[in-house]
Amino acid sequence: MTPTPAPAPAPPARPVLATPAAASARTGRLRRTPARLRLAAAVAVVACALVAVGGLLVGLVQADALRSAADDTAQQVRTLDVRNDLVAADATATNAFLVGGREPVAQRERYDVSLASATSGLTAVAGADQSDAGRLPGVSTSVATYSGLVEQARANNRQGFPVGAAYLETASQELRAEALPGLDEVVSANASSVTDAFQVAGRATLVLLVVLVALVALVVVQVWLASRTHRRLNLGLVLSTVVLLVAGFLLGSNLDGGSRTASDVQDGAYGQTVAVARAYSLANDAKAAESFTLIKRGSGQAYEESYQASVDAASELLQGVGGQVQTTFDAWAATHDEIRGLDDGGDWDGAVALATSSEPGSPNAQFDAFAQEAQTATADSSVQARSDLEHAASASERTAWLALVAGLLAAGAAVWGFAPRLKEYR
């Protein structure tokens, strides 16, 4: 029998070599990881930079708005002072006219001081703002016309000529038809500027949305990095987050403080300044109307109606102010009934004597007390408003630079945190 041959041995297994496609896939994965790390680092840095730039810009904008509000407030006060000097001069001239002949020296001096103050005030208003200067040439011309008519009224009054009353009435009408409307236009423009500045200052806290977005971005980056590197915390990113959190708190509190200061000043010191100044102007209008009612001797009903309208408007403005200003105003306004009682009762001479008296407790003495309180209150509240706004502006400016420094530090911390992770793939 022939033996069966043994089966041939199987050829040795050949090693499995990695295909080019598999090797390329692994290399791609390795390359994609550092690219993603760089992208995550860029997101963190950009988030920090947004806080730095956004905080800087918004803080500086708020500071500029607060300073603009302070400047516009000061300009508003200057303009209102000019207006009040003019109506005070008119009220003084009209009251002095009732005396007849040569008016009292004290009232003449008061008129001259008020008119000189108004003239110098016009120069100050024009020099402080070029846009306001363009509205004032007509006012200066009207003031010169007014003073000339008053001098003619005085000259005729000293000689006992009845035409003096006509000159005085024309002067008063010139003042209210030509000079005061020009000043009111400046007041209106400044009021709009002040309101706009307050609104800009009040919107500054919107930058906190940028801070919130930046913090969310940092948290998302840290969560992604933890899942990628299997490390729970990245010291650099944690430090960056803490810096932004603290900076956001300081930025928000300081900018909110600036916004609240703008609101408080607008409703408080600035609002009181304007209210008292307008009330003082209306009171002078009323005083001039009271004198014209007597000058007209029985035909001054229109002036009496004007008096009542001015007093009612001034009283309404002062209700929100209160204090000694309102008390002295009410005391002066109460003297009008006595003057009217004498005149309506046929004692015109007695009414004139009372209206022109400067004795303690007289209408003029009561008005002087109110004028002193009004001028003091206006000066004090305007100084307070400017001081508060300047202080808030300085705080906002400091906060702006603080935000820049904090944002840059946070960005640096983020870069520092990513640096070791990126080295692992080099």
Side-chain angles (χ1 to χ4, degrees):
M1 296 180 60
T2 303
T4 305
R14 294 164 59 183
V16 179
L17 299 177
T19 64
S24 177
R26 283 199 300 272
T27 304
R29 283 196 297 270
L30 291 175
R31 288 176 179 174
R32 285 198 296 271
T33 298
R36 289 173 179 174
L37 282 173
R38 292 188 186 94
L39 178 60
V43 169
V45 170
V46 168
C48 297
L50 284 176
V51 174
V53 176
L56 175 67
L57 293 179
V58 173
L60 292 180
V61 166
Q62 186 184 70
D64 182 67
L66 290 168
R67 289 198 174 97
S68 294
D71 292 340
D72 291 336
T73 297
Q75 180 73 338
Q76 185 77 304
V77 171
R78 281 190 288 268
T79 308
L80 289 171
D81 283 344
V82 172
R83 194 186 195 286
N84 287 341
D85 284 335
L86 290 175
V87 293
D90 188 56
T92 301
T94 306
N95 187 259
F97 189 88
L98 283 169
V99 177
R102 185 177 296 275
E103 68 270 30
V105 174
Q107 287 187 303
R108 171 73 192 205
E109 290 177 349
R110 185 178 304 172
Y111 167 86
D112 291 338
V113 168
S114 295
L115 198 61
S117 178
T119 302
S120 61
L122 282 173
T123 303
V125 170
D129 192 318
Q130 292 301 315
S131 62
D132 289 340
R135 303 182 179 98
L136 296 178
V139 176
S140 299
T141 301
S142 297
V143 170
T145 302
Y146 165 79
S147 62
L149 289 169
V150 169
E151 292 307 315
Q152 288 180 299
R154 281 174 168 165
N156 282 279
N157 193 39
R158 281 195 295 269
Q159 299 179 59
F161 296 156
V163 73
Y167 277 115
L168 185 65
E169 186 174 26
T170 301
S172 186
Q173 291 172 350
E174 168 72 19
L175 183 70
R176 285 165 175 77
E178 300 297 333
L180 297 186
L183 288 171
D184 290 340
E185 185 179 351
V186 176
V187 168
S188 178
N190 281 318
S192 297
S193 297
V194 171
T195 300
D196 291 343
F198 282 140
Q199 288 177 347
V200 171
R203 290 194 292 264
T205 51
L206 293 177
V207 74
L208 292 181
L209 294 176
V210 176
V211 177
L212 180 61
V213 170
L215 288 172
V216 171
L218 286 179
V219 171
V220 170
V221 167
Q222 289 178 79
V223 171
W224 176 85
L225 186 62
S227 66
R228 199 65 161 170
T229 62
H230 305 293
R231 292 180 175 87
R232 292 184 178 180
L233 294 176
N234 181 287
L235 185 58
L237 288 176
V238 170
L239 181 60
S240 178
T241 303
V242 171
V243 170
L244 282 195
L245 193 61
V246 173
F249 174 77
L250 294 176
L251 184 65
S253 60
N254 284 320
L255 293 181
D256 182 63
S259 298
R260 284 188 283 104
T261 296
S263 178
D264 292 343
V265 169
Q266 185 175 20
D267 297 334
Y270 172 72
Q272 179 173 316
T273 299
V274 175
V276 174
R278 289 188 178 279
Y280 178 59
S281 180
L282 287 165
N284 277 288
D285 285 339
K287 186 170 178 60
E290 181 182 68
S291 297
F292 271 118
T293 304
L294 293 173
I295 291 172
K296 289 293 185 177
R297 302 194 68 159
S299 60
Q301 183 58 33
Y303 283 106
E304 175 61 18
E305 292 174 357
S306 176
Y307 169 90
Q308 294 297 340
S310 296
V311 165
D312 290 344
S315 180
E316 184 176 353
L317 286 170
L318 292 176
Q319 283 178 1
V321 177
Q324 196 63 20
V325 179
Q326 185 178 19
T327 300
T328 52
F329 173 81
D330 291 340
W332 166 72
T335 64
H336 181 71
D337 291 339
E338 188 177 357
I339 293 173
R340 294 309 318 143
L342 291 171
D343 188 28
D344 293 339
D347 188 2
W348 182 84
D349 290 331
V352 168
L354 179 60
T356 57
S357 174
S358 297
E359 296 297 323
S362 66
N364 279 343
Q366 297 283 16
F367 188 85
D368 289 344
F370 162 68
Q372 183 62 44
E373 289 293 337
Q375 290 168 350
T376 300
T378 300
D380 291 346
S381 58
S382 63
V383 168
Q384 184 64 49
R386 187 172 184 85
S387 175
D388 290 346
L389 292 172
E390 289 285 359
H391 180 75
S394 298
S396 296
E397 192 171 33
R398 289 194 299 270
T399 300
W401 293 109
L402 174 64
L404 176 65
V405 172
L408 294 178
L409 287 176
V415 172
W416 174 66
F418 270 98
R421 304 289 77 82
L422 287 169
K423 285 182 179 180
E424 294 173 356
Y425 291 92
R426 290 179 182 175

